Amino acid sequence: MLTNIRIVLVQTYHPGNIGASARAMKTMGITDLVLVKPRCFPDPEATRLAAGADDIVEGARVMGSLAEAVADCVQVVGASARLRSLPLPHFDEPDAMARDLVENAAHDPVALVFGRERSGLTNEEIRCCSHQVSIPANPDYAVLNLSQAVQVLAYEVFKAWRRRPGSDTPPHSPGERAPNREQLDHFHAHLGRVMQASGFLTQPHARTEEHLHALFARAQPSRKELSLLRGLLSALEPPAGRD
Ligand code: SAH
């Protein structure tokens, strides 16, 4: 059930939060837990707070970076209490996010990403995301405990999954599917090489690449459109630089 939906916790400080998040997941039928560089894991406190969800804690995969944790995902939603400078597509309402996520999860892996207790997600980590979501809360104090944020969003996902349109909707054709993060990374690396080689990027500190990242995040190209763009870049490349 809900097997394509992954919960990623980045550099969790308190192992108890890992256990409580696992419990929150299991109550909502989500089982795939990935931990990016947890401070302390495995840990008895994680198992204690997981209660009946100790199987989720035991099955958790530990990875060295967020990019690695979500490379195969076609949608990566970063949960954040406040907006950062990167203008990614943003869901103000968790139920709208959950409907979109459940739809994508019918065909491919997707992820919900949660940041550190003290400092949330870095800008570089937000760059690994395709979208952001905020849980609406008291403007004077909108920061939830990590595992409670997992609970709220997991509940929304579960609700959307129960109410999803019937399984009679035809699957996307392969070309219409969203690219995964690894395919998008290859595209951005290719675009970067062409911009360098053509002399278009002249100022090393200009935020051109960042703006283009945001543009393509909003455009949400399909796999077919991305391969069209890769073909265009290859045609523009000087012959020696082609890969
Ligand atoms: N001081 C940190 C808060 C971290 S709370 C910051 O400013 O980002 C730990 C994690 O819980 C956050 O990184 C986020 O993933 C999640 N979280 C907490 N409150 C949230 C909210 N209102 N909406 C969405 N996610 C939230």
Side-chain angles (χ1 to χ4, degrees):
M1 171 152 110
L2 300 165
T3 45
N4 268 339
I5 298 181
R6 182 175 307 158
I7 300 290
V8 182
L9 306 182
V10 178
Q11 253 190 349
T12 308
Y13 190 85
H14 297 291
N17 273 335
I18 297 176
S21 298
R23 182 175 186 173
M25 288 168 61
K26 188 162 177 176
T27 56
M28 299 297 140
I30 301 174
T31 53
D32 186 11
L33 175 60
V34 171
L35 307 171
V36 175
K37 292 201 259 176
R39 183 181 64 91
C40 207
F41 185 81
D43 188 275
E45 191 64 1
T47 311
R48 195 173 73 77
L49 281 165
D54 49 341
D55 55 331
I56 307 263
V57 172
E58 269 160 36
R61 291 173 292 151
V62 175
M63 296 198 184
S65 72
L66 179 57
E68 189 190 341
V70 300
D72 59 336
C73 294
V74 297
Q75 186 172 26
V76 179
V77 182
S80 165
R82 57 202 163 99
L83 278 179
R84 303 295 169 110
S85 56
L86 266 180
L88 284 182
H90 188 270
F91 291 104
D92 297 319
E93 298 299 335
D95 58 345
M97 177 283 294
R99 280 195 300 276
D100 204 35
L101 198 74
V102 163
E103 200 181 313
N104 280 313
H107 312 291
D108 295 289
V110 297
L112 267 175
V113 179
F114 297 84
R116 299 159 186 81
E117 291 93 332
R118 286 179 201 171
S119 53
L121 295 166
T122 63
N123 276 336
E124 198 190 328
E125 286 157 355
I126 290 174
R127 219 166 286 140
C128 293
C129 299
S130 58
H131 297 78
Q132 281 184 284
V133 65
S134 300
I135 300 165
N138 177 1
D140 293 332
Y141 187 51
V143 181
L144 281 72
N145 162 270
L146 169 61
S147 67
Q148 292 174 356
V150 173
Q151 184 76 73
V152 169
L153 295 187
Y155 173 61
E156 290 293 348
V157 166
F158 183 65
K159 252 190 344 189
W161 179 81
R162 284 201 311 159
R163 294 178 186 167
R164 72 198 183 285
S167 48
D168 51 344
T169 45
H172 293 309
S173 74
E176 284 166 34
R177 280 165 65 197
N180 66 31
R181 305 307 293 171
E182 195 176 21
Q183 290 164 330
L184 269 176
D185 285 348
H186 285 152
F187 165 69
H188 281 293
H190 195 171
L191 181 61
R193 284 199 303 278
V194 172
M195 289 196 297
Q196 286 288 350
S198 65
F200 177 70
L201 278 187
T202 47
Q203 294 161 284
H205 299 297
R207 294 179 63 202
T208 310
E209 287 191 282
E210 212 163 287
H211 284 302
L212 287 171
H213 241 276
L215 167 68
F216 285 107
R218 288 199 306 279
Q220 301 181 34
S222 65
R223 285 182 194 205
K224 204 166 157 187
E225 289 163 338
L226 207 65
S227 82
L228 184 72
L229 288 168
R230 291 289 306 261
L232 172 67
L233 289 175
S234 296
L236 294 173
E237 245 171 345
R242 285 185 193 168
D243 62 7

